[in-house]
């Protein structure tokens, strides 16, 4: 039946209305796990398998992270469906992760019948109350006729302005109820203003400061990617000849090999941008939020610099770092206005200061990681080799920990939306399901997951999803038999008192065999190149487990509470 606006209305159930509304919003892939309170929706879905590809994950958290991976690589809204009670509470971690990392999701949860609300019925939880602080909007639907408008609002809110997750909790009686269905997409909600008003006088002032600056430095955040402003950012940076550094989630917005790229910011970022932050006379923050892992000690952050902050979310301006010139709006719109007003410039002397420090880090750290002299395999050399084997043009997914920081440092990128990682929440277990979602979103691009032995086991059951749906994800499991990042802190700051961080691991090869996933073990450097070749050439999913140095550390490192310029090389 035709369902677009203006067609003849037809009486259908609320559950079918959910499915038709998703189709009308252009959803083609969704991730979920059925249960009693959402069963009517799954029953209705059975008639639309030709239009919707539902991926059955092994856990609701996996469904949420998969939807995040899908959203991050496509720019579309990710969709998850879960049941009530534990189904909904299992989804909370993924919702919180999406909120802090600005990932657009629509999460649909089933709920007990309206007559049972508040009675502590079987599998009843107040999911609206629980998720209110971690969603852009949430709403409980008790009437079938309210479903189309609620879903239209959910998609509009999730993807507009600064993106984020939205949750709709639908009671079982609303799923069974019948009404005359009509769907209208929404592009306006009274009192909701996703795009702030730009003050054009601030554009003039920002241009003035940029033209006067002798040592400007740009910070590229995920807002450039979310706004689709990669081209605009590049034109701005090249005209003004400004060196730029990425945040973790800003990685891949501009190709790694660009001459103005000075590296990644933050606690385990590159030496040059961290040290030179406190020498810069102008900081231009573009679509980033001055997270504590980027700034270090705020009392010592960029004290010589004026700050221009371009952002779509007014709440982020002056929250952590005072902005001398705030420029509100989507950076895709504001950057061209700024580029038009600035003068062409040349900052070669300033760039040479960065290059000198880049050379220091290359000699002291990078070369030793990618061409190690010691016998044990290092994370950096594995990641570097894998990146090159994929032509530096794969989608990189990570879990959370030492391998995440190493991957961010040693993997290279040629195109945008090539990084899927848990930034603000730092969710262990994120990687495997997120890689599934990324591959479903971009089936024509290679997707390679780097995971540690700790985080991998938190969602290891999603190997079953890969098997059932035949999703060709490539996995590099970096096994050091430790919760590596916590162990590193214990070594450096807790006198090597390794309290509960050493892992007694299972036989991962046997587990892979049980899930029918081809795999191989790399326990010596002589086996590494051949294993990576197999990883690249295998048509389907493939896992290589690499036994890496047990007590390796990630350097550089900004110690907690220190200034970014106090970054340690060892």
């Amino acid at each position: 039946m035709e369902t677009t606006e203006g067609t003849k209305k037809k009486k259908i159930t609320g559950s079918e209305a959910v499915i038709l509304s998703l189709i009308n919003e252009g959803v083609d892939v969704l991730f979920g796990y059925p249960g009693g309170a959402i069963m009517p929706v799954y029953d209705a879905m059975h008639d639309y398998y030709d239009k919707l590809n539902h991926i059955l994950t092994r856990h609701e958290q996996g469904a949420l992270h998969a939807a995040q991976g899908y959203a991050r690589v496509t720019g579309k809204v990710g969709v998850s469906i879960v049941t009530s009670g534990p189904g909904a509470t299992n989804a909370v971690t993924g919702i919180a992760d999406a909120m802090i990392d600005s990932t657009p999701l629509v999460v649909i949860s089933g709920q007990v019948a309206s007559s049972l609300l508040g009675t502590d019925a079987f599998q009843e939880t107040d999911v609206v109350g629980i998720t209110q602080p971690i969603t852009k909007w949430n709403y409980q639907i008790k009437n079938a006729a309210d479903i189309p408008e609620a879903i239209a609002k959910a998609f509009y809110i999730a993807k507009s302005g600064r993106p984020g997750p939205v949750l709709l909790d639908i009671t079982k009686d609303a799923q069974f109820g019948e009404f005359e269905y009509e769907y209208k997409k929404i592009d306006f909600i009274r009192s909701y203003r996703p795009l702030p008003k730009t003050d054009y006088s601030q554009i003039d002032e920002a241009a003035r400061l940029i033209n006067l600056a002798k040592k400007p430095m740009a910070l590229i955040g995920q807002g450039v990617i979310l706004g689709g402003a990669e081209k605009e950012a590049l034109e701005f940076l090249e005209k003004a000849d400004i060196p730029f550094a990425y945040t973790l989630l800003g990685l891949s917005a501009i190709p790694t090999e660009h001459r103005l790229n000075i590296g990644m910011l933050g606690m385990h970022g590159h030496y040059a941008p961290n040290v030179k932050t406190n020498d810069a006379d102008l900081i231009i923050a573009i679509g980033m939020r001055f997270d504590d892992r980027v700034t270090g000690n705020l009392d010592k952050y960029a004290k010589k610099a004026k700050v221009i902050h371009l952002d779509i979310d007014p709440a982020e301006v002056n929250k952590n770092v005072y902005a001398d010139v705030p420029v509100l709006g989507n950076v895709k719109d504001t950057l061209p206005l700024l580029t038009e007003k600035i003068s062409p410039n040349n900052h070669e002397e300033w760039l040479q200061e960065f290059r000198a420090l880049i050379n220091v880090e290359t000699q002291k750290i990078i070369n030793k990681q990618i061409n190690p002299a010691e016998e044990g395999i290092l994370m950096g050399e594995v990641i570097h080799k894998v990146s090159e084997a994929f032509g530096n043009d794969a989608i990189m997914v990570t879990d959370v920990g030492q391998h995440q920081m190493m991957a961010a440092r040693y993997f290279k990128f040629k195109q945008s939306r090539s990084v899927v990682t848990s930034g603000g929440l730092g969710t262990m277990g994120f990687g495997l399901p997120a890689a599934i979602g990324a591959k479903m979103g971009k089936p024509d691009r290679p997707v390679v997951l780097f995971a540690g032995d700790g985080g991998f086991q938190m969602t290891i059951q999603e190997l079953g999803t890969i098997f059932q749906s035949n999703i060709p994800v490539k996995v590099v499991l970096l096994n050091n038999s430790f919760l590596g990042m916590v162990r590193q802190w214990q070594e450096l700051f807790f006198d090597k008192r390794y309290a509960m961080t050493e892992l007694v691991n299972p036989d991962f090869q046997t587990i892979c065999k049980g899930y029918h996933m081809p795999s191989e073990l790399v326990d010596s450097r002589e086996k590494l190149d051949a294993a990576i070749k197999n990883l690249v050439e295998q048509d389907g999913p493939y896992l290589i487990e690499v036994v890496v140095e047990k007590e390796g550390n990630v350097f550089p490192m900004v110690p907690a509470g220190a200034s970014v310029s106090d970054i340690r090389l060892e």
Side-chain angles (χ1 to χ4, degrees):
M1 129 180 145
E2 295 293 329
T3 58
T4 53
E5 185 179 354
T7 58
K8 187 177 180 181
K9 298 178 184 178
K10 179 182 178 181
K11 217 169 196 182
I12 62 172
T13 64
S15 56
E16 188 176 8
V18 170
I19 301 304
L20 291 177
S21 298
L22 294 177
I23 292 170
N24 276 320
E25 286 291 344
V27 176
D28 53 358
V29 179
L30 64 159
F31 308 86
Y33 203 96
I38 198 66
M39 204 177 299
V41 170
Y42 272 87
D43 180 69
M45 192 189 306
H46 193 273
D47 295 329
Y48 293 91
Y49 283 160
D50 59 328
K51 294 183 179 178
L52 283 175
N53 184 8
H54 179 281
I55 302 300
L56 176 64
T57 59
R58 294 303 182 265
H59 191 281
E60 290 86 358
Q61 182 180 347
L64 267 292
H65 293 329
Q68 287 178 270
Y70 176 90
R72 293 270 282 274
V73 301
T74 63
K76 299 178 182 178
V77 178
V79 179
S80 292
I81 300 183
V82 299
T83 194
S84 65
T89 57
N90 282 346
V92 166
T93 297
I95 296 171
D97 195 287
M99 185 66 176
I100 199 166
D101 280 354
S102 305
T103 305
L105 297 184
V106 169
V107 183
I108 295 171
S109 60
Q111 185 55 275
V112 301
S114 300
S115 60
L116 295 175
L117 290 172
T119 68
D120 292 332
F122 178 67
Q123 292 193 332
E124 180 196 2
T125 57
D126 179 11
V127 67
V128 171
I130 290 169
T131 60
Q132 189 169 11
I134 54 170
T135 51
K136 281 188 75 176
W137 179 60
N138 66 11
Y139 183 67
Q140 188 172 75
I141 302 172
K142 302 176 186 177
N143 188 311
D146 295 336
I147 288 173
E149 183 180 5
I151 289 179
K153 280 185 179 179
F155 274 84
Y156 174 58
I157 292 171
K159 65 188 176 184
S160 58
R162 179 180 180 175
V166 171
L167 179 132
L168 296 176
D169 192 45
I170 310 177
T171 63
K172 203 164 185 179
D173 50 311
Q175 296 173 50
F176 279 122
E178 293 189 345
F179 70 106
E180 290 186 343
Y181 178 80
E182 183 180 30
Y183 196 79
K184 296 180 180 179
K185 288 189 177 183
I186 286 176
D187 59 9
F188 173 80
I189 299 174
R190 191 173 63 181
S191 80
Y192 172 58
R193 298 288 182 269
L195 196 62
K197 186 177 180 181
T198 301
D199 182 346
Y200 293 97
S201 67
Q202 300 286 32
I203 299 284
D204 293 334
E205 178 60 12
R208 186 184 74 83
L209 290 180
I210 292 167
N211 289 336
L212 290 173
K214 301 299 182 185
K215 296 184 174 184
M217 178 176 165
L219 315 181
I220 302 296
Q222 190 189 197
V224 172
I225 297 171
L226 296 175
E230 295 91 344
K231 176 175 174 287
E232 289 79 4
L234 195 55
E235 289 174 351
F236 164 74
L237 294 166
E238 289 181 339
K239 183 175 182 181
D241 199 42
I242 296 175
F244 69 88
Y246 308 92
T247 66
L248 175 63
L249 296 186
L251 287 170
S252 83
I254 296 170
T256 309
E257 297 297 335
H258 195 279
R259 69 177 189 86
L260 294 173
N261 174 22
I262 52 173
M264 184 177 72
L265 298 159
M267 180 173 281
H268 291 290
H270 289 93
Y271 189 55
N274 279 292
V275 169
K276 286 298 175 183
T277 292
N278 284 343
D279 288 339
D281 61 7
L282 181 65
I283 297 290
I284 308 159
I286 307 174
M288 55 87 72
R289 58 187 182 87
F290 288 109
D291 173 78
D292 62 294
R293 289 296 172 101
V294 163
T295 64
N297 188 333
L298 284 169
D299 293 334
K300 300 177 181 179
Y301 181 75
K303 289 305 177 184
K304 297 179 183 177
K306 295 283 188 181
V307 176
I308 299 169
H309 192 173
L310 295 87
D311 208 284
I312 200 169
D313 186 355
E316 293 298 344
V317 176
N318 297 327
K319 185 175 81 173
N320 295 325
V321 173
Y322 173 74
D324 297 276
V325 184
V327 180
L328 293 176
N330 186 337
V331 293
K332 188 174 181 67
D333 301 323
T334 57
L335 276 173
L337 299 174
L338 198 51
T339 303
E340 185 180 351
K341 289 183 177 292
I342 61 175
S343 303
N345 213 326
N346 182 293
H347 292 290
E348 185 58 31
E349 288 186 16
W350 174 230
L351 274 164
Q352 288 298 339
E353 293 186 35
F354 286 99
R355 289 172 186 148
L357 294 181
I358 289 169
N359 287 335
V360 170
E361 182 180 352
T362 299
Q363 295 303 317
K364 288 193 172 184
I365 295 176
I366 295 174
N367 286 346
K368 293 178 181 179
Q369 273 287 329
I370 63 178
N371 295 300
E374 56 260 52
E375 185 177 332
I377 305 173
L378 302 185
M379 289 188 189
E381 68 173 305
V382 178
I383 293 160
H384 173 73
K385 283 176 176 289
V386 171
S387 181
E388 289 198 327
F390 282 103
N392 297 322
D393 198 22
I395 291 174
M396 178 195 83
V397 185
T398 81
D399 207 88
V400 168
Q402 285 183 314
H403 71 274
Q404 176 189 30
M405 295 297 98
M406 286 292 198
R409 289 174 50 79
Y410 294 101
F411 208 85
K412 294 183 178 181
F413 311 97
K414 291 182 178 178
Q415 56 183 305
S416 187
R417 292 194 177 274
S418 293
V419 176
V420 181
T421 193
S422 175
L425 201 62
T427 304
M428 290 179 70
F430 173 89
L432 186 58
I436 291 170
K439 189 62 182 178
M440 295 304 301
K442 291 291 182 180
D444 296 332
R445 292 194 65 194
V447 173
V448 56
L449 163 67
F450 294 99
D453 46 310
F456 187 66
Q457 291 181 79
M458 286 193 170
T459 50
I460 196 170
Q461 68 275 2
E462 298 307 333
L463 290 174
T465 305
I466 290 173
F467 171 57
Q468 179 169 340
S469 296
N470 192 29
I471 302 169
V473 170
K474 313 293 186 177
V475 181
V476 180
L477 175 59
L478 297 166
N479 184 356
N480 59 8
S481 296
F482 264 116
L483 298 176
M485 189 61 84
V486 184
R487 187 215 56 77
Q488 177 169 334
W489 279 59
Q490 289 173 333
E491 176 188 337
L492 298 176
F493 308 116
F494 290 88
D495 299 322
K496 294 189 177 181
R497 290 160 61 87
Y498 295 160
M500 294 297 122
T501 47
E502 189 164 10
L503 295 172
V504 178
N505 283 322
D507 183 337
F508 291 111
Q509 301 301 303
T510 300
I511 290 172
C512 286
K513 186 176 181 181
Y515 281 110
H516 305 279
M517 184 165 185
S519 68
E520 63 181 292
L521 176 66
V522 178
D523 54 8
S524 66
R525 185 168 286 115
E526 291 71 28
K527 299 178 182 178
L528 183 58
D529 288 345
I532 292 174
K533 187 172 185 289
N534 291 337
L535 184 81
V536 173
E537 294 179 353
Q538 182 81 14
D539 287 337
Y542 200 77
L543 179 145
I544 61 172
E545 176 191 353
V546 185
V547 179
V548 295
E549 184 182 21
K550 194 166 184 180
E551 295 186 56
N553 289 329
V554 187
F555 284 108
M557 179 182 185
V558 179
S563 165
V564 289
S565 59
D566 294 330
I567 187 168
R568 294 172 52 172
L569 286 170
E570 55 187 16

